[in-house]
Amino acid sequence: REPEITASGHGETHLPPTFAVVMIGVTTRAGTAAEAAAQNAAKVASTLTALRQAGVAADDLTNQGYSIEQAYEDNGRKRGGFTARNSIRARVNGVDQVGKVIDAAVNGGAGEINSVQFGAPNIEEARRAAMTEAVKQARADAAVLASAAGGTLGRLITLSSSSSFPPGYASFQLESAVLTSASSVPTVISPRDLTVSAQALGRWEFIPGAS
């Protein structure tokens, strides 16, 4: 078998987020399913109104889930009415407006902010740039190994790569919390840059030097 050289490389691209997705929860509880649903609908309506007044476009507000279920008390041994849950997805086209949108949702009647996720539209371009850097690093390391072994790098035999994104394109996530009232202090959210990474693994033919 001809001698080979295997080397791996890593590449990263950092880019600032340009938009955010805020997941908002509205939960109500009442003695009957109908009452829970009616109260939930009223809170959702007021929350959506507050979000639109905060600058979120109607097209950027979508429903991500709805449920009504039996509620229990005393560690599940006693029925305690019904719980209605509605999940709202708000896309915020401006990361500096995220805190304002959260405050608007709470003031509008929402009781939960389940997560805040940041993203950028050019994430695919960043992935390719990270992949290019990873391949260059792998080949450069392979060339160093070949030279140190007294030879040169030959033809490429195989090359594979993989890439990873921030979870949900997010660099910040707010733990699910029940918010009972709006704070007099504005919410401030400061996201970090998104990091897209890639790995490359290559095998090259090793050409021994004349000896």
Side-chain angles (χ1 to χ4, degrees):
R1 182 178 178 179
E2 295 297 325
E4 299 174 357
I5 288 181
T6 301
S8 62
H10 177 80
E12 283 187 355
T13 303
H14 303 273
L15 66 163
T18 60
F19 68 88
V21 173
V22 183
M23 297 301 297
I24 303 162
V26 179
T27 302
T28 54
R29 185 171 174 176
T32 67
E35 290 173 339
Q39 293 176 14
N40 195 277
K43 280 194 173 184
V44 168
S46 63
T47 300
L48 292 175
T49 298
L51 290 171
R52 288 192 290 266
Q53 291 175 348
V56 182
D59 292 343
D60 291 329
L61 294 170
T62 56
N63 180 273
Q64 294 294 295
Y66 183 82
S67 67
I68 299 178
E69 60 185 7
Q70 181 76 59
Y72 292 91
E73 299 175 346
D74 195 17
N75 293 326
R77 291 184 294 226
K78 179 182 177 181
R79 292 184 179 182
F82 290 83
T83 300
R85 293 185 176 88
N86 203 324
S87 180
I88 302 170
R89 180 184 185 273
R91 178 185 168 107
V92 184
N93 295 312
V95 294
D96 59 334
Q97 298 297 306
V98 174
K100 176 183 176 182
V101 169
I102 291 175
D103 291 338
V106 175
N107 289 327
E112 301 168 13
I113 303 297
N114 297 316
S115 69
V116 179
Q117 298 181 330
F118 293 95
N122 53 340
I123 199 84
E124 181 61 24
E125 181 180 329
R127 184 185 71 87
R128 290 172 179 163
M131 192 176 298
T132 299
E133 180 182 340
V135 172
K136 287 181 178 179
Q137 185 183 100
R139 194 186 189 288
D141 285 354
V144 170
L145 290 173
S147 177
T152 58
L153 206 61
R155 63 184 180 87
L156 176 66
I157 300 172
T158 62
L159 181 65
S160 61
S161 67
S162 62
S163 56
S164 60
F165 301 95
Y169 293 359
S171 58
F172 172 88
Q173 186 161 357
L174 182 67
E175 293 295 330
S176 178
V178 177
L179 308 176
T180 56
S181 62
S183 172
S184 59
V185 180
T187 300
V188 178
I189 303 294
S190 301
R192 300 186 297 271
D193 282 353
L194 303 176
T195 300
V196 181
S197 61
Q199 296 76 37
L201 178 65
R203 290 169 51 220
W204 287 266
E205 181 184 49
F206 174 69
I207 303 175
S211 59

